Amino acid sequence: EKDMAAIESAVAELLRLKEQLPSDHPMRPENVKAAAAAKAKQKKEQVSAAKAARKQDLKQKLDSVARPTIQRKIHHLLQTQGAGDEFQYAGPVLAEGFADWGGKPVYVTEKWDGTTVQATKDGVFKRIDNFRKGASAKRGATEEDRYRLELLDLDSEAHIKQAVEPYLSVFQSLDVGLCVYAEALGPGMGGGRHVAQRTQYTLRVFDFARDGKFLPFRQVVELAERYKLPTVGYSLVDLRAEEVYQELATAETRGRRYVDAPPGFEEEPFEGLVLRPGWADGSAAKARVDLIRRTP
């Protein structure tokens, strides 16, 4: 207690002496505080200026490289109804644009909840939505108006960097005109609550495009094997809308998980499917678990 009292007395004496310093003396308490604030402000401005300069450099680089095709918007395989919170599938019926797929062979691929990235030999890119979430204007917008492409500064995208870093040398070895599309997976990447519980990073390839044209999924698999890139799980089946609907409707009760899930993702809740023609066509359609009707 005596030691504490002595310390408190010494601190009080130091403060008294500082108060006797001239008003412009750097050791006066208010001047020490102001100097610290000015230093912090300067550092913040330097960081902001460095980020702005880096962003400008990336924009100039994006303008100078062959710009890849932006990841397309994938439409729903099944007919939908309602809007907002009431938006859901109307039942096991193919949407109008996919009605002729019925009975034909399709690749059923697994849809992961992550951050979509795309890469060429020139860098890693990300599709940016020009509209805020839920904006009504986006419904009538063309893909050109709705999205833009940004070249990523991976040093500023820590999560994405950890997912793609093991494959950067592979991306740099891609043929000219070839673009790979993948879902980057890891903590904080995705919209579900479960993403916060992730501890590992990886990616899963789901598309390739060559010279601006999306390739049939068979070629996607062949290219992934050639470049030793991991793909989403897939199977080739004859399309039946009822079977797709049932797969989604029973996913939760069956405890459906991903095929060949990477380490750390074995218990990841199943999000849905993306279906791709088994014939020479690069189109695709999606089907999500959360859009199944929960009431008759």
Side-chain angles (χ1 to χ4, degrees):
E1 293 181 2
K2 290 182 179 180
D3 290 343
M4 182 58 70
I7 292 173
E8 291 176 349
S9 177
V11 170
E13 177 63 13
L14 180 61
L15 291 175
R16 186 185 68 78
L17 292 173
K18 284 186 174 181
E19 290 295 338
Q20 294 178 4
L21 294 171
S23 61
D24 60 349
H25 195 284
M27 292 306 295
R28 282 188 65 87
E30 63 271 24
N31 294 338
V32 172
K33 184 177 180 180
K39 186 176 181 180
K41 180 181 179 182
Q42 182 183 36
K43 184 176 181 180
K44 184 177 180 180
E45 290 174 346
Q46 289 174 341
V47 170
S48 179
K51 286 184 177 179
R54 178 59 176 159
K55 188 173 183 179
Q56 182 62 27
D57 288 344
L58 289 170
K59 185 177 183 301
Q60 291 177 350
K61 182 179 179 181
L62 178 61
D63 292 338
S64 68
V65 301
R67 189 173 300 212
T69 298
I70 298 178
Q71 169 56 27
R72 60 202 161 161
K73 176 176 174 55
I74 296 179
H75 298 281
H76 290 284
L77 176 78
L78 302 174
Q79 285 187 14
T80 60
Q81 62 184 18
D85 292 340
E86 299 301 318
F87 183 74
Q88 60 187 345
Y89 293 133
V93 180
L94 296 176
E96 183 177 347
F98 304 105
D100 62 345
W101 284 22
K104 295 181 180 179
V106 297
Y107 286 96
V108 179
T109 69
E110 295 179 321
K111 185 178 187 302
W112 282 89
D113 184 13
T115 297
T116 299
V117 295
Q118 53 189 91
T120 68
K121 64 186 300 87
D122 296 314
V124 180
F125 304 80
K126 182 181 178 183
R127 184 184 74 177
I128 306 297
D129 198 330
N130 292 321
F131 296 88
R132 62 177 175 79
K133 186 176 182 179
S136 58
K138 69 169 59 178
R139 295 193 184 94
T142 64
E143 291 194 14
E144 290 75 15
D145 291 333
R146 180 170 174 180
Y147 302 113
R148 69 182 188 277
L149 196 65
E150 288 190 358
L151 181 61
L152 292 181
D153 175 10
L154 292 178
D155 289 333
S156 299
E157 300 279 357
H159 289 310
I160 294 178
K161 182 178 181 179
Q162 292 193 69
V164 305
E165 196 164 32
Y167 306 100
L168 291 179
S169 61
V170 176
F171 297 157
Q172 292 166 2
S173 72
L174 292 173
D175 292 342
V176 174
L178 195 62
C179 182
V180 60
Y181 302 79
E183 202 74 4
L185 305 171
M189 291 190 287
R193 297 177 183 175
H194 58 278
V195 301
Q197 301 170 6
R198 294 172 174 168
T199 59
Q200 306 294 320
Y201 292 87
T202 189
L203 60 74
R204 285 295 180 268
V205 168
F206 59 83
D207 249 335
F208 270 95
R210 188 185 295 278
D211 298 329
K213 183 179 180 181
F214 287 99
L215 301 177
F217 192 71
R218 177 179 56 79
Q219 294 181 37
V220 171
V221 173
E222 291 172 353
L223 284 168
E225 291 177 350
R226 170 184 166 188
Y227 287 106
K228 295 181 172 55
L229 291 168
T231 64
V232 293
Y234 65 91
S235 61
L236 182 63
V237 302
D238 291 336
L239 178 60
R240 302 282 186 272
E242 299 83 357
E243 293 176 1
V244 173
Y245 191 88
Q246 189 67 13
E247 170 77 2
L248 301 176
T250 61
E252 291 184 7
T253 56
R254 290 185 294 111
R256 168 73 153 86
R257 295 295 183 262
Y258 286 88
V259 175
D260 297 328
F265 294 84
E266 294 88 350
E267 297 304 314
E268 191 90 358
F270 180 65
E271 185 181 65
L273 303 167
V274 177
L275 296 95
R276 305 164 191 277
W279 54 97
D281 187 328
S283 57
K286 63 185 177 182
R288 287 170 26 193
V289 170
D290 65 324
L291 295 183
I292 293 293
R293 289 187 299 175
R294 300 304 176 192
T295 57

